[in-house]
Amino acid sequence: MTKTWDAVIIGGGAAGLFCAGVAGQLGKKVLVLDHAPVLGEKIRISGGGRCNFTNVHSSPANFLSLNPHFVKSALAKYSSTEFIKLVSTYGIAYHEKHQGQLFCDDSAKQIIEMLMSECAKGKVSIRNPVSVESIAQDATGWNVHTNAGIEKTKAVVMATGGLPVPAIGATAYSLDIAKQFGLEVVDPRPALVPLSFTADTFGNLNDLAGLSVPVRIASGSKGHRYGACRFNEDLLLTHKGLSGPAVLQASSYWVEGEPIHIDWLGAIEVEGGFNCDALFNDDDNRLKLAETILSSVLPQRLAKAFAEQRNLGGRKWAEVSKKDRQALKELLTNWSVKPAGTLGWKKAEVMLGGVDTKDLDGQTMMSRAHPGLFFIGECVDVTGHLGGHNFQWAWASGFVCAQAL
Ligand code: FDA
């Protein structure tokens, strides 16, 4: 007699493996299918190889979705505290880096090993590499057709992630299945991604590659589908444009054709108690060069570039008119630039958009119209801020799904 699984999970990444382990330990017969020869590759490369596996402050405010309330139930049922407890049970050493971000001290591989051990505890069957060819429903349940035969199951969990990093096997399969069963899909777009600029936008700033500067950054707009944001983070100037945490965060909210706004002094104003007005008015600085004054708050190369942009290079502060000082202040505190685009899926960390949450039940992640069909992790229209929130979503959505299988 053909075996019928309680759940077949397509995709053995963060959400799929976690969901499988939890469901298996609840006594469910679970099969994970993945097309990749090695599982958990995104976890392995995450956080620079140390996996920023969650964030102690993770809350609904850290997520973008057409329905910002959708994440509430799952995050409440499985918070970062729960995942930290699990990591601690395995004796995995970790540290907090910045704004609640938790990283493994040693290696992201420890998180993969932990997920595999949880699956083993739940007697989960894992098969890879396997190609899933089609998924169909009949009166007896679900049939998952693979290159190695048909699997019969009571439930199908789509957990194939998002489109970033196609080189390690990212596909749109969950989105294709959603469309096949009539669920809406919010247009996918690269997010947490560096932004590119045309050569004329930057001019001499192009020589500044490698500089990292704390800034206040703003992008998006209230009327935009994901709203607007403001972050105090580090910005990195690169040969290709702008990157670093500030720009990655802003990229998720950026609307094509619109500018982003950078206050080069805003972050130190907030964090260092620095008074921007005093800098631009201070007559004690009369005999200093404009670039020397700016270099008290900015890296020297950047200070020089900004002074030169306003034709103030080599000029003493006393020689700079009030109007020019004002224009320089405006340039530094409200630098408005239009990105030409993003560096695309190759460089993105996550996908914005995905299976529309209006077609899913936030308590279980099940399709409202197709009982037994679930979507978890990055394939859903839920995108976290940088800093461990995307993994927290993978764990939380996988957990609530597992309870419902
Ligand atoms: P995930 O991508 O983990 O897993 C999907 C699985 O499905 C893969 O195993 C894949 O092989 C499989 N699959 C795909 N198509 C298939 C198909 N057609 N058939 C069968 N199997 C298929 N987040 C964070 O919180 N902290 C961090 O430090 C980082 N760092 C980071 C760095 C980089 C470089 C990237 C690209 C991303 C991150 N992220 C991150 C994001 C994080 O990796 C991501 O949000 C989660 O891995 C999403 O988990 P999922 O399980 O949804 O997808």
Short mmCIF file of all heavy atoms in Angstrom, two decimals, residues 11 40 46 78 88 115 124 134 167 184 192 194-195 199 209 234 239 263 285 292 295 362 389 391:
data_model
loop_
_atom_site.label_atom_id
_atom_site.label_comp_id
_atom_site.label_asym_id
_atom_site.label_seq_id
_atom_site.Cartn_x
_atom_site.Cartn_y
_atom_site.Cartn_z
N GLY A 11 11.17 22.26 -0.13
CA GLY A 11 12.17 23.26 0.24
C GLY A 11 12.72 22.97 1.62
O GLY A 11 12.01 23.11 2.62
N GLY A 40 20.23 23.93 3.13
CA GLY A 40 20.55 25.05 4.04
C GLY A 40 21.65 25.97 3.55
O GLY A 40 22.32 26.62 4.35
N SER A 46 24.80 33.00 5.31
CA SER A 46 24.19 34.16 5.95
C SER A 46 25.11 34.77 7.01
O SER A 46 25.96 34.08 7.57
CB SER A 46 22.87 33.75 6.61
OG SER A 46 23.13 32.91 7.71
N TYR A 78 5.65 32.29 18.29
CA TYR A 78 7.04 31.84 18.30
C TYR A 78 7.96 33.05 18.18
O TYR A 78 8.27 33.52 17.09
CB TYR A 78 7.32 30.82 17.18
CG TYR A 78 8.60 30.07 17.43
CD1 TYR A 78 8.63 28.97 18.28
CD2 TYR A 78 9.80 30.50 16.85
CE1 TYR A 78 9.82 28.30 18.55
CE2 TYR A 78 11.00 29.83 17.11
CZ TYR A 78 10.99 28.73 17.97
OH TYR A 78 12.17 28.07 18.24
N SER A 88 20.38 27.75 22.61
CA SER A 88 21.12 27.54 23.86
C SER A 88 21.11 26.08 24.27
O SER A 88 22.10 25.55 24.78
CB SER A 88 20.51 28.38 24.99
OG SER A 88 20.51 29.73 24.61
N LEU A 115 19.19 22.27 13.02
CA LEU A 115 17.91 22.00 12.33
C LEU A 115 17.84 20.54 11.90
O LEU A 115 16.80 19.89 12.01
CB LEU A 115 17.75 22.92 11.11
CG LEU A 115 17.64 24.42 11.42
CD1 LEU A 115 17.67 25.24 10.13
CD2 LEU A 115 16.36 24.73 12.20
N VAL A 124 12.03 12.81 10.67
CA VAL A 124 11.65 13.40 9.37
C VAL A 124 12.44 12.73 8.26
O VAL A 124 13.65 12.47 8.41
CB VAL A 124 11.98 14.93 9.39
CG1 VAL A 124 11.77 15.55 8.02
CG2 VAL A 124 11.16 15.64 10.46
N SER A 134 5.26 18.43 -10.38
CA SER A 134 3.93 19.06 -10.30
C SER A 134 3.27 18.69 -8.98
O SER A 134 3.66 17.73 -8.31
CB SER A 134 3.06 18.62 -11.48
OG SER A 134 2.83 17.23 -11.40
N ALA A 167 22.38 31.59 -8.08
CA ALA A 167 23.50 30.64 -8.22
C ALA A 167 23.39 29.48 -7.23
O ALA A 167 23.95 28.41 -7.49
CB ALA A 167 24.83 31.37 -8.01
N GLU A 184 -3.23 35.09 -5.06
CA GLU A 184 -2.57 36.28 -5.61
C GLU A 184 -1.11 36.28 -5.21
O GLU A 184 -0.74 35.82 -4.13
CB GLU A 184 -3.20 37.55 -5.04
CG GLU A 184 -4.65 37.77 -5.42
CD GLU A 184 -4.79 38.45 -6.77
OE1 GLU A 184 -3.92 39.27 -7.11
OE2 GLU A 184 -5.77 38.14 -7.47
N LEU A 192 16.81 44.48 0.51
CA LEU A 192 18.09 44.45 1.23
C LEU A 192 19.20 44.29 0.19
O LEU A 192 19.95 43.30 0.20
CB LEU A 192 18.11 43.33 2.27
CG LEU A 192 17.09 43.45 3.41
CD1 LEU A 192 17.23 42.31 4.40
CD2 LEU A 192 17.19 44.79 4.14
N PRO A 194 22.14 46.45 -2.52
CA PRO A 194 22.83 47.72 -2.81
C PRO A 194 22.15 48.46 -3.95
O PRO A 194 21.51 47.85 -4.82
CB PRO A 194 24.23 47.26 -3.22
CG PRO A 194 24.40 45.90 -2.63
CD PRO A 194 23.03 45.28 -2.66
N LEU A 195 22.29 49.79 -3.95
CA LEU A 195 21.67 50.61 -4.99
C LEU A 195 22.76 51.12 -5.95
O LEU A 195 23.87 51.44 -5.51
CB LEU A 195 20.94 51.79 -4.35
CG LEU A 195 19.75 51.39 -3.45
CD1 LEU A 195 19.21 52.60 -2.69
CD2 LEU A 195 18.64 50.73 -4.26
N ALA A 199 26.90 57.48 -13.49
CA ALA A 199 28.20 58.12 -13.22
C ALA A 199 28.01 59.59 -12.87
O ALA A 199 28.65 60.12 -11.96
CB ALA A 199 29.11 57.96 -14.42
N ALA A 209 35.19 55.09 -2.88
CA ALA A 209 34.85 53.68 -2.61
C ALA A 209 35.62 53.16 -1.40
O ALA A 209 36.82 53.42 -1.26
CB ALA A 209 35.16 52.85 -3.82
N ASP A 234 25.13 52.52 9.17
CA ASP A 234 26.33 52.83 8.40
C ASP A 234 26.07 52.70 6.90
O ASP A 234 25.41 51.75 6.46
CB ASP A 234 27.46 51.86 8.78
CG ASP A 234 28.01 52.19 10.15
OD1 ASP A 234 27.66 53.26 10.71
OD2 ASP A 234 28.80 51.38 10.68
N HIS A 239 32.40 51.03 -5.49
CA HIS A 239 32.63 51.40 -6.89
C HIS A 239 31.32 51.38 -7.68
O HIS A 239 31.16 52.07 -8.66
CB HIS A 239 33.64 50.45 -7.53
CG HIS A 239 35.03 50.69 -7.03
ND1 HIS A 239 35.73 51.83 -7.33
CD2 HIS A 239 35.82 49.97 -6.21
CE1 HIS A 239 36.90 51.80 -6.72
NE2 HIS A 239 36.98 50.67 -6.04
N ASP A 263 21.15 62.10 5.30
CA ASP A 263 21.68 63.14 6.18
C ASP A 263 23.00 62.60 6.71
O ASP A 263 23.03 61.71 7.56
CB ASP A 263 20.67 63.40 7.32
CG ASP A 263 21.17 64.45 8.29
OD1 ASP A 263 22.37 64.80 8.23
OD2 ASP A 263 20.35 64.91 9.11
N ASN A 285 36.04 78.92 14.10
CA ASN A 285 36.67 78.17 13.01
C ASN A 285 37.12 79.07 11.85
O ASN A 285 37.53 78.57 10.81
CB ASN A 285 35.66 77.14 12.45
CG ASN A 285 35.53 75.95 13.37
OD1 ASN A 285 36.48 75.59 14.05
ND2 ASN A 285 34.35 75.37 13.40
N THR A 292 38.63 71.17 6.38
CA THR A 292 39.15 70.79 7.70
C THR A 292 38.00 70.78 8.71
O THR A 292 37.88 69.88 9.55
CB THR A 292 40.23 71.79 8.15
OG1 THR A 292 41.17 71.92 7.11
CG2 THR A 292 40.91 71.33 9.43
N SER A 295 35.96 67.80 8.13
CA SER A 295 36.62 66.53 8.49
C SER A 295 36.58 66.28 10.01
O SER A 295 36.97 65.21 10.46
CB SER A 295 38.04 66.46 7.95
OG SER A 295 38.83 67.42 8.60
N GLY A 362 -3.18 33.75 8.83
CA GLY A 362 -1.98 34.10 9.60
C GLY A 362 -1.77 33.24 10.84
O GLY A 362 -0.68 33.20 11.40
N HIS A 389 15.78 39.43 11.30
CA HIS A 389 14.32 39.36 11.28
C HIS A 389 13.81 38.37 10.23
O HIS A 389 12.76 37.75 10.41
CB HIS A 389 13.73 40.75 11.04
CG HIS A 389 14.20 41.75 12.05
ND1 HIS A 389 13.76 41.74 13.36
CD2 HIS A 389 15.10 42.75 11.97
CE1 HIS A 389 14.36 42.71 14.03
NE2 HIS A 389 15.19 43.34 13.21
N PHE A 391 15.21 35.51 9.29
CA PHE A 391 15.23 34.15 9.85
C PHE A 391 14.13 34.00 10.91
O PHE A 391 13.49 32.96 10.98
CB PHE A 391 16.60 33.81 10.45
CG PHE A 391 17.59 33.36 9.40
CD1 PHE A 391 18.88 33.86 9.37
CD2 PHE A 391 17.23 32.42 8.44
CE1 PHE A 391 19.79 33.45 8.40
CE2 PHE A 391 18.12 32.00 7.46
CZ PHE A 391 19.41 32.52 7.45
#
